[in-house]
Amino acid sequence: MSKYEKLWNYIEENGTESFSLTFDEIARIAGVPRDHSFLTYKKEPEEFGWKVAKISMKNKTVAFEKIVM
């Protein structure tokens, strides 16, 4: 079980094709502080049909896109 499983479930239930979350929103949804280990876990949303499209350190956001098959 991933420490970001709550976040991946939230993303899976999102009804849009793409969206962004702030680092603070990610921490709140996941229930854990977002830290550098997030980079290790960023491939996990692919199991739920999503990918991390962009991480902006300047804006403190992560963009997610639905994988089209």
Side-chain angles (χ1 to χ4, degrees), residues 14-54:
N14 187 291
T16 62
E17 296 294 316
S18 64
F19 66 99
S20 293
L21 294 172
T22 66
F23 290 176
D24 289 340
E25 289 172 322
I26 289 170
R28 182 182 49 77
I29 293 164
V32 296
R34 194 225 42 98
D35 55 22
H36 291 293
S37 74
F38 182 80
L39 298 174
T40 304
Y41 295 92
K42 73 178 189 172
K43 295 268 185 198
E44 289 184 352
E46 293 176 7
E47 298 173 26
F48 297 90
W50 289 82
K51 66 179 180 178
V52 172
K54 182 177 181 181

Side-chain angles (χ1 to χ4, degrees), residues 3 12 27 33 47 50 53 59:
K3 74 178 192 176
E12 184 179 32
E47 298 173 26
W50 289 82
N59 297 324

Side-chain angles (χ1 to χ4, degrees), residues 1-13:
M1 177 182 199
S2 169
K3 74 178 192 176
Y4 288 104
E5 187 164 352
K6 289 179 186 177
L7 175 63
W8 308 147
N9 288 329
Y10 175 88
I11 291 169
E12 184 179 32
E13 295 171 4

